[in-house]
Amino acid sequence: MPQLDLFQDLSSISGVHHNITIEPELADVTEGVAKNFICSVYHLCQNENLTITWNYENMQVTEWNKTLSGLDQMTYSNIAFLGAKEDHGKKLICTAKSSGRDIMASVVLNVQNPVLAGLETIGLYILVPSLVILLVCILAGVIICKKRQR
């Protein structure tokens, strides 16, 4: 009776998916500016082709695999997401497909207008110092007026 190789038997079973995630979890995107999202799937599927798809087409996608130890593998997919204002509030979904089953992960897109996104940064560097200068001028004016009244 031939001896069975446990490693071969385990690797022939259909892929077992343990975890799927999308990073970053906060999907803040500036309209018209590409942002990278990475979908990663931890699985035991050496003899199967695990494919990751996204619900947005016509965007640059790259995939790669990494063997962790034994049968443990990570499959990654990176999408360079280019958001439009119509995408605000919609979900970016990655789906891992194998012969066993499909699993999904998603994030809700928060698409910001580039002008408004820029104003948030400008506000810190222009608005705050301007208010400080205005308050100093008002204070100086009050002091000068009080000295003239004496």
Side-chain angles (χ1 to χ4, degrees), residues 60 79 90 95 100 126 136 142 145:
Q60 184 180 356
I79 186 170
K90 292 183 180 177
T95 305
I126 293 178
V136 168
V142 169
C145 285

Side-chain angles (χ1 to χ4, degrees), residues 17-127:
H17 310 286
H18 293 285
N19 193 15
I20 183 169
T21 58
I22 296 180
E23 294 289 333
E25 291 178 7
L26 293 175
D28 292 334
V29 178
T30 301
E31 183 181 348
V33 178
K35 179 163 183 168
N36 289 314
F37 289 90
I38 296 177
C39 181
S40 51
V41 183
Y42 172 76
H43 59 100
L44 301 169
C45 300
Q46 272 197 335
N47 290 340
E48 286 188 57
N49 267 345
L50 178 81
T51 57
I52 298 176
T53 57
W54 297 89
N55 63 321
Y56 279 84
E57 297 176 355
N58 302 322
M59 301 209 185
Q60 184 180 356
V61 175
T62 54
E63 287 190 22
W64 67 97
N65 292 306
K66 181 179 180 183
T67 301
L68 302 176
S69 64
L71 297 175
D72 296 351
Q73 291 194 4
M74 290 292 291
T75 298
Y76 300 95
S77 178
N78 180 84
I79 186 170
F81 183 80
L82 191 61
K85 63 181 176 181
E86 299 83 30
D87 298 319
H88 181 74
K90 292 183 180 177
K91 287 185 177 182
L92 176 63
I93 303 169
C94 72
T95 305
K97 298 180 181 194
S98 69
S99 60
R101 64 181 175 133
D102 296 354
I103 55 173
M104 293 184 275
S106 65
V107 291
V108 177
L109 297 165
N110 179 24
V111 180
Q112 301 175 356
N113 183 303
V115 173
L116 295 178
L119 283 178
E120 290 175 7
T121 304
I122 291 172
L124 293 175
Y125 297 106
I126 293 178
L127 187 60

Side-chain angles (χ1 to χ4, degrees), residues 134-145:
L134 181 63
L135 288 174
V136 168
C137 290
I138 291 171
L139 184 60
V142 169
I143 291 171
I144 292 170
C145 285

